[in-house]
Every structure is written in structure tokens, then in C-alpha cells.
Amino acid sequence: MKTLRVGVIGTGGIGRAHAERLTKYIANADVVAVNDINETAAKATAEACGARYEADPIALIHAEDVDAVLIASWDRTHEQFVCETIEAGKFVFCEKPLSNTADGCRHVIEVEQKAGKRLLTVGFMRRYDKGYQQMREVIASGRLGEVLMVHAQHRNAAPTGEKHTTVMSVSGALVHEFDITRFLLDDEYVSAQMILPRSTRNADEDLIDPQMVMLRTKKGIHIDLEIYMNCRYGYDIQCEVVGEEGTVRLPELANIAPMRVDGTRQHKIYTEWYKRFEDAYVYELRDWVDSALEGKAAGASAWDGYVTSAVAEKCTEARLSDSVVKFDLGERPAMYRTTEV
Ligand code: NAI
């Protein structure tokens, strides 16, 4: 069996978890080298995965024993590491967002165009979630008639990772909704608006929380998205698609057993984001590894990364101008016209 030898850059919350998933659950992947500016974190992950610690991320990317690179460092570092890996001719998995800016994503697209083939996968794992996949099948079957509206909520108990700001809630978290909604609808966005409800006292000073985003697509579908980073009670992801003849809703409690106890019917809810989508993370990494071994890039592309970051920017523009911002995302290059997942 062929094995993909992976180098990992960034071993915080999700980087370490991805390295361990590759090691424990994905038979044809080996984590061979690990880097983080936090040497202690990198060495702990290296030890857990039987890999070596590499002090220099650029040396890791170019190392002869590294076939492909997984990037899970902070958002602002992604573009540089992704471009370096593509220029080295290696497959690269990069956590979302691809870049903090639409320009940064366009730069990645240019570099990949020059490479002449898709090498990049962006970590939009919800495409691998069975619930969303069922919703996509229902919508594509036409049983709902034409889709009219989408209502979705993204709530975290509290922010994790880097300190959250108003912009980051949208560019770092709500990008998941931007990606999965267009994946479900097979449609593209044309305008954005933001509405700010009353703010919670539980948010840091630089974060307006919650926020509401309204998007419209080319087909005229209305999408309303709530992002609430300090909801306190749990990690809660909801999505309902409303059509002319019916609706379809995301199964919200995948893998949680309902109880009847103390005269009540009850069930736990997720409190940590990584538990809610654990299966999807494993499936996306498995697809990335299998595809790379076949010489292909799986999952969300640089174009998908660009669209989501560009829409995030338009949302900020809409918030600051308190208006509906109309936009045209431009022509999708031929390399990105097929979507398998
Ligand atoms: P974190 O803060 O826990 O970990 C990030 C790690 O990257 C830290 O250990 C930090 O020292 C390291 N790092 C930062 N700059 C570096 C550099 N220049 N070189 C090497 N290492 C560097 O953050 P977390 O939550 O693990 O997030 C990492 C990335 O994954 C972020 O881009 C985030 O948006 C994304 N993410 C994606 C999720 C998903 O559901 N797909 C969920 C959580 C995070």
C-alpha cells in the first residue's frame, strides 16, 4: 500500500487533532514532520505521532521525506505556506480561511494556475458531514421544488484559538456557512447585508456578538445567517432550506443518544465544535490522502476559499456602510469548475 508522508505546520487545537487523526484513523498516511512557533506544542505532537520536530516551516515544506503538507497555523500565515507548498509541487491541505483577504486568495489562485493543476484543499469539512450531504441530495432531487430561502445559525459556547473580533467572527467562523450553503444550493452570492442585534455582555470588547448576515444568490434565494460566538450553552449548528414544496433540515444531534430520565425526555447537546464534526474531519482527511495518492486534490478548492473570504469582506463593507452591498465575484477559472464533494 502506498503511504502519503505528511508534514504538519501548526499544532494548536485543530492541528494536533488532525495530526492524531492522520496517525490513528488513516492507514495510508504517516505524519513525518511537525512545526509550530510554539516548540513545546510541536514537540508534543511530534512525539504523539512518531514524527520529527522541524524548527523551520519552509524547510519542512521542501523536505524530501514530506510528500504533502497540512497547514493549521493562524489564519494570517496560511497564504504564505500554501503558496510555498504549491510552488514546491506538493499537495497541501489548508485549514479555513484560505486567507484573511480576497486578494490573498486571488494570489493563491494565480500560483495554482501557474502550477497547472489543483494541489490545494481548503478545510471546509462540513461538505463531508452526512447530514449536509443528505440535504444536498434532497435539494438536487427537486423534491422541495425550487429553493426559496435558507435559515442557518452558528453558535459557539465561547471563542477558541486566537482572540476573536467582530471581523473574525465572519471571516473565520461564518465562512463555514458561506461555503456549505453554496455547496448545498449550487448557486453563487450576489449581495450581502448585515444586521446587528442587541449585543451580549459576555463578548470581549472587540467583538460585536451576535451578528446577522443576509445574502442573496444569483437565483434570488434569500439566506439569513446568525453568528453568535458567546452563546454559552453549547455548540449549536442549525440549517433549514425552504423550498416551494417542502423543507429539509440539518439533523442537529448526530451521534447523541436521547434519554428518558427523571420524568423528562432529554439529550445532551454538543459543547465543543470538534466533537460535532468529528466524523466529517476524518472523512475529509481520508479523502485528501486517498486523492493525493491518486495525484488529485479533493474537497473545497482555492476558488471556494476565495469566494468565502471575498463574501466575508463584503459583509464587513455592508456592516460599516450599513447598506446592501452588491458584488460580482468574477469568472471561475476552468480548473475549478467541477465539484465532486
Ligand atoms: P490555535 O491557536 O489553537 O493553534 C494555532 C497554532 O499555530 C498555534 O500553536 C500557533 O503557535 C501556531 N502558529 C501560529 N503561527 C505560526 C507560524 N507562523 N508557524 C508555525 N506555527 C504557527 O488555533 P486553532 O483553533 O487550532 O486554529 C488553527 C487554524 O485552524 C485557524 O486558521 C482556524 O481558523 C482553523 N480552524 C478550523 C476549524 C474547522 O472547523 N475547520 C476549527 C478550528 C480552527
Side-chain angles (χ1 to χ4, degrees), residues 19-75:
E20 291 185 356
R21 288 179 187 112
L22 287 167
T23 304
K24 281 190 201 151
Y25 303 129
I26 303 189
N28 51 357
D30 267 347
V31 176
V32 293
V34 169
N35 165 270
D36 194 298
I37 45 171
N38 178 339
E39 191 178 323
T40 313
K43 285 188 169 163
T45 299
E47 196 184 336
C49 298
R52 68 187 161 82
Y53 162 67
E54 170 59 70
D56 177 2
I58 304 301
L60 177 146
I61 290 169
H62 293 281
E64 275 196 12
D65 65 345
V66 169
D67 302 320
V69 178
L70 186 148
I71 296 165
S73 44
W74 290 324
D75 301 356

Side-chain angles (χ1 to χ4, degrees), residues 8-16 18 35-39 41-42 55 57 71-78 80-81 93-98 122-126 160-164 168 171-173 175-176 235 273-274 277 281 284:
V8 175
I9 302 176
T11 55
I14 201 163
R16 175 165 182 153
H18 278 339
N35 165 270
D36 194 298
I37 45 171
N38 178 339
E39 191 178 323
I71 296 165
S73 44
W74 290 324
D75 301 356
R76 61 182 172 276
T77 65
H78 293 176
Q80 183 207 348
F81 293 145
F93 177 100
C94 178
E95 262 312 331
K96 61 80 210 161
L98 175 54
V122 182
F124 283 121
M125 76 296 175
R126 291 197 195 173
T160 56
E162 274 192 285
K163 189 168 183 282
H164 258 67
M168 271 175 70
S171 69
V175 282
H176 275 303
Y235 179 70
W273 50 265
Y274 52 87
F277 287 109
Y281 288 125
E284 78 167 343

Side-chain angles (χ1 to χ4, degrees), residues 17-323:
H18 278 339
E20 291 185 356
R21 288 179 187 112
L22 287 167
T23 304
K24 281 190 201 151
Y25 303 129
I26 303 189
N28 51 357
D30 267 347
V31 176
V32 293
V34 169
N35 165 270
D36 194 298
I37 45 171
N38 178 339
E39 191 178 323
T40 313
K43 285 188 169 163
T45 299
E47 196 184 336
C49 298
R52 68 187 161 82
Y53 162 67
E54 170 59 70
D56 177 2
I58 304 301
L60 177 146
I61 290 169
H62 293 281
E64 275 196 12
D65 65 345
V66 169
D67 302 320
V69 178
L70 186 148
I71 296 165
S73 44
W74 290 324
D75 301 356
R76 61 182 172 276
T77 65
H78 293 176
E79 177 189 344
Q80 183 207 348
F81 293 145
V82 166
C83 290
E84 190 79 29
T85 313
I86 293 175
E87 280 166 346
K90 298 183 181 183
F91 285 100
V92 50
F93 177 100
C94 178
E95 262 312 331
K96 61 80 210 161
L98 175 54
S99 163
N100 280 332
T101 66
D103 277 350
C105 296
R106 276 195 214 98
H107 176 223
V108 174
I109 289 175
E110 267 168 37
V111 170
E112 200 173 36
Q113 295 284 309
K114 264 195 213 137
K117 67 182 271 200
R118 264 197 67 189
L119 288 167
L120 168 68
T121 297
V122 182
F124 283 121
M125 76 296 175
R126 291 197 195 173
R127 293 172 177 230
Y128 292 88
D129 177 79
K130 301 288 179 206
Y132 281 118
Q133 289 180 344
Q134 283 177 44
M135 291 177 76
R136 190 169 191 242
E137 279 168 28
V138 170
I139 295 163
S141 75
R143 290 183 65 196
L144 306 183
E146 293 294 333
V147 172
L148 308 174
M149 294 179 284
V150 179
H151 310 297
Q153 291 94 43
H154 180 140
R155 299 188 187 134
N156 284 59
T160 56
E162 274 192 285
K163 189 168 183 282
H164 258 67
T165 62
T166 302
V167 171
M168 271 175 70
S169 269
V170 176
S171 69
L174 206 57
V175 282
H176 275 303
E177 262 63 32
F178 300 158
D179 182 69
I180 199 65
T181 307
R182 61 194 274 282
F183 177 70
L184 289 176
L185 302 177
D186 204 11
D187 198 355
E188 206 55 278
Y189 304 120
V190 294
S191 77
Q193 181 184 6
M194 284 194 72
I195 292 176
L196 302 179
R198 186 178 187 193
S199 214
T200 172
R201 291 170 297 171
N202 294 324
D204 284 340
E205 66 209 13
D206 295 339
L207 174 61
I208 299 171
D209 195 40
Q211 304 178 68
M212 297 286 302
V213 166
M214 314 286 160
L215 299 173
R216 197 166 278 269
T217 68
K218 281 187 180 159
K219 291 179 194 161
I221 300 170
H222 163 90
I223 299 155
D224 50 82
L225 308 172
E226 172 196 313
I227 177 80
Y228 186 11
M229 293 303 296
N230 285 281
C231 81
R232 290 298 194 252
Y233 70 85
Y235 179 70
D236 194 5
I237 302 297
Q238 307 275 343
C239 181
E240 184 188 27
V241 175
V242 181
E244 293 167 299
E245 316 284 338
T247 73
V248 62
R249 183 180 273 279
L250 184 68
E252 59 171 307
L253 293 166
N255 302 329
I256 288 190
M259 297 176 273
R260 282 171 164 76
V261 64
D262 294 336
T264 63
R265 227 175 107 224
Q266 52 176 272
H267 49 73
K268 289 190 172 171
I269 56 171
Y270 288 98
T271 47
E272 289 100 1
W273 50 265
Y274 52 87
K275 290 192 179 154
R276 168 65 180 82
F277 287 109
E278 178 57 29
D279 293 352
Y281 288 125
V282 173
Y283 297 143
E284 78 167 343
L285 290 177
R286 187 167 290 150
D287 195 27
W288 177 60
V289 169
D290 288 347
S291 301
L293 288 170
E294 287 170 20
K296 296 185 299 188
S301 68
W303 178 257
D304 302 314
Y306 157 69
V307 168
T308 49
S309 292
V311 170
E313 271 183 9
K314 295 297 171 191
C315 288
T316 299
E317 205 179 311
R319 175 171 59 80
L320 295 175
S321 63
D322 193 17
S323 65

